[in-house]
Amino acid sequence: MHKIPSQRRRALASMVALCGCITFTGEALAGQDAGSESWNAKFQATYIWQAKNAFAAAYSGPNSLSPAHEKSYSFTSTAFFGFRPWPAGELYFNPEVAQEAPLSNLTGLGGFTNGEMARGASTTLKFNVARFFLRQTWGEEGERTVVESGQNQLAGSVAARRWVFTAGKLAVTDIFDANAYSHDPRTQFMNWALMANGAYDYPADAKGYTWGTVLEWYHDAWAVRAGRFMQPKDPNGLPIDTRIFEHYGDQVELEHAHKALGHPGKLRLLVFRGRAKMSRFQDALDVAATTGTTPHLDAVRWREHHKTGWGLNIEQEVASGVGVFVRASRSDGKTETYAFTEIDNTVSGGALVQGQAWGREQDVVGVAAVRNGISGQRQAYLARGGISAFIGDGSLEYRCEKITEVFYSWAAVRHVWLTFDWQHVEHPAYNASRGPVNFFAVRLHSEF
């Protein structure tokens, strides 16, 4: 019988202990709707075990996915505390613990297969304040919509026309690039390229969080949001650069809600622009050509550069309990990956189906496909033996990275879901000389 290492036993024990937790909510403040909460407390715990098969590889480099059979796990547990300090204000605090053992030290893929993994993962349980932010709403007019109690969401109602200001520590994707069917690796698709637009190099520390501000304007079916956030001090690093007027990540998103044949959907168009001390692939290639050496990004990280891009995001219900999504995004491809994935252009799409058709309303089936690509400059850099944050095989026979993901989420008992997930990756890290490779995962998730 396979023995679970002691670190993983402790993670599973922590998750089981959380299953005894309950959801707490508070009564409405004076001046609020009768159904609104003055405070609440929610909890989640997610354990993912993953393995991959051995696969053929003509060669490997320092940042390659290992061709050998490997196993991996991740564990996160989060508390979501919400408080309404005054009728139109909301304050949220999310303490979180995490423990991880990634495949191949989290290298060798454009679209990594576990969205719960973070750079600098530790096999010991580490504490982190994931979120601490204030949200203020004003100028409310028009028809009101009921808001249910949830994680970082106090029950109440919101008006169709309103202004919302958010400031503090959070994940940029808490607000931008959302999608009802492809956004949360704890409950939906696990791949990085499916939890957000893959080419969206949004500002974040190594754990996926940062500090910043967002202003949103809602007007019936339309919404516009703009935000500025702090960049990490170093690419994919943990310390945050607080010089938000010198190094920053800006994003603007336009959203439109609609109905197609009576079914709701949303379309979002995103543009982003980051500024930091970044390396450019062409600079590294030029220096290498002059010196006769292998190009290296660290050798040319000497001045500030901008990185720009866009993303398209569509979600659409097509029948009761059935939804589809499509995403597409592209970055300029000139500068290194600073905070997210080694992807310069991507297209993804898929569907979620709830199990009501077979008498399992809380079960979900998901099917998705992704096609990732990189710029010509990044291709040339990798072909010359260059190494970047997550990939670098020592050479490159370029092909687009293709990913297929299929999962079944089974509502085992109340508040607990067991998911079986399969991912198939062709041309890992854009290299036709390596792969294909299959990944198998089991996810245990509970929330209250």
Side-chain angles (χ1 to χ4, degrees):
M1 179 180 290
H2 174 66
K3 290 186 176 181
I4 300 175
S6 59
Q7 298 98 327
R8 280 192 279 172
R9 287 200 300 269
R10 287 194 291 270
L12 286 169
S14 299
M15 184 170 183
V16 171
L18 276 175
C19 291
C21 295
I22 61 173
T23 300
F24 299 96
T25 61
E27 297 299 324
L29 286 174
Q32 284 296 112
D33 297 333
S36 68
E37 294 174 322
S38 60
W39 63 275
N40 68 11
K42 310 291 182 181
F43 304 89
Q44 82 81 29
T46 304
Y47 180 87
I48 297 175
W49 177 90
Q50 192 169 60
K52 69 172 181 63
N53 65 295
F55 64 92
Y59 50 84
S60 296
N63 276 9
S64 290
L65 186 70
S66 170
H69 171 73
E70 286 186 292
K71 288 181 268 187
S72 166
Y73 75 91
S74 66
F75 170 74
T76 63
S77 180
T78 317
F80 304 85
F81 298 115
F83 172 65
R84 202 185 298 274
W86 48 81
E90 303 162 59
L91 183 66
Y92 296 99
F93 172 61
N94 296 174
E96 185 170 78
V97 293
Q99 179 178 321
E100 306 155 344
L103 296 168
S104 301
N105 197 32
L106 204 62
T107 61
L109 289 170
F112 286 104
T113 55
N114 182 352
E116 285 282 83
M117 286 291 180
R119 192 70 167 172
S122 173
T123 54
T124 59
L125 206 61
K126 298 290 186 180
F127 173 80
N128 179 49
V129 175
R131 299 174 182 86
F132 182 56
F133 65 93
L134 176 70
R135 179 181 295 141
Q136 178 67 46
T137 302
W138 74 93
E140 295 187 276
E141 296 178 351
E143 184 179 349
R144 302 193 71 86
T145 302
V146 173
V147 175
E148 296 182 354
S149 180
Q151 297 173 1
N152 293 332
Q153 183 170 283
L154 292 167
S157 66
V158 296
R161 300 176 183 180
R162 65 193 186 276
W163 290 87
V164 181
F165 177 73
T166 304
K169 184 180 184 183
L170 68 163
V172 174
T173 51
D174 290 342
I175 299 177
F176 294 89
D177 200 28
N179 190 293
Y181 307 112
S182 180
H183 195 56
D184 186 358
R186 293 170 177 169
T187 61
Q188 299 172 332
F189 298 99
M190 297 183 191
N191 196 281
W192 283 28
L194 289 167
M195 68 187 208
N197 254 311
Y200 180 20
D201 199 3
Y202 59 88
D205 65 15
K207 295 182 182 296
Y209 306 106
T210 186
W211 293 81
T213 60
V214 180
L215 181 63
E216 300 176 85
W217 176 62
Y218 293 84
H219 189 89
D220 299 329
W222 293 91
V224 180
R225 54 187 62 95
R228 169 166 286 194
F229 292 87
M230 296 177 184
Q231 295 276 21
K233 288 185 176 179
D234 301 301
N236 298 284
L238 188 58
I240 287 292
D241 187 342
T242 59
R243 296 170 294 175
I244 196 169
F245 297 105
E246 184 176 351
H247 300 151
Y248 50 81
D250 289 339
Q251 33 270 306
V252 177
E253 186 174 58
L254 175 66
E255 174 184 291
H256 183 257
H258 61 267
K259 283 194 174 182
L261 301 178
H263 296 284
K266 287 185 178 180
L267 184 149
R268 300 176 179 91
L269 179 61
L270 170 77
V271 291
F272 63 92
R273 178 177 182 264
R275 185 178 192 269
K277 191 171 285 187
M278 304 178 187
S279 299
R280 296 198 307 181
F281 298 112
Q282 192 58 55
D283 290 342
L285 289 167
D286 291 344
V287 169
T290 301
T291 60
T293 59
T294 299
H296 206 295
L297 293 173
D298 290 344
V300 293
R301 196 175 293 112
W302 51 48
R303 65 172 66 94
E304 283 78 7
H305 292 291
H306 292 99
K307 184 170 188 175
T308 60
W310 58 266
L312 177 67
N313 181 340
I314 302 171
E315 63 179 68
Q316 181 65 54
E317 183 183 80
V318 295
S320 178
V322 181
V324 299
F325 70 92
V326 175
R327 274 194 175 106
S329 60
R330 177 179 291 271
S331 70
D332 57 34
K334 299 176 183 178
T335 52
E336 65 183 319
T337 296
Y338 206 76
F340 192 37
T341 62
E342 303 268 12
I343 299 172
D344 293 323
N345 57 81
T346 182
V347 176
S348 64
L352 287 189
V353 181
Q354 291 182 321
Q356 57 198 46
W358 56 93
R360 298 282 306 177
E361 188 171 349
Q362 298 299 313
D363 290 7
V364 179
V365 174
V367 180
V370 184
R371 182 183 182 275
N372 297 326
I374 54 176
S375 68
Q377 292 182 20
R378 193 190 296 255
Q379 292 176 39
Y381 173 80
L382 294 171
R384 286 283 308 274
I387 303 299
S388 52
F390 297 106
I391 60 178
D393 296 327
S395 185
L396 183 69
E397 184 184 347
Y398 180 72
R399 295 289 188 281
C400 288
E401 183 181 78
K402 298 178 181 179
I403 302 169
T404 303
E405 181 171 0
V406 179
F407 75 84
Y408 188 98
S409 178
W410 171 54
V413 295
R414 188 182 180 191
H415 302 304
V416 177
W417 289 262
L418 183 64
T419 300
F420 302 94
D421 182 275
W422 169 70
Q423 295 180 56
H424 177 76
V425 180
E426 296 182 37
H427 315 140
Y430 314 99
N431 201 334
S433 296
R434 313 183 83 251
V437 56
N438 292 291
F439 300 80
F440 304 91
V442 177
R443 176 177 63 200
L444 183 61
H445 173 76
S446 65
E447 61 181 57
F448 302 85

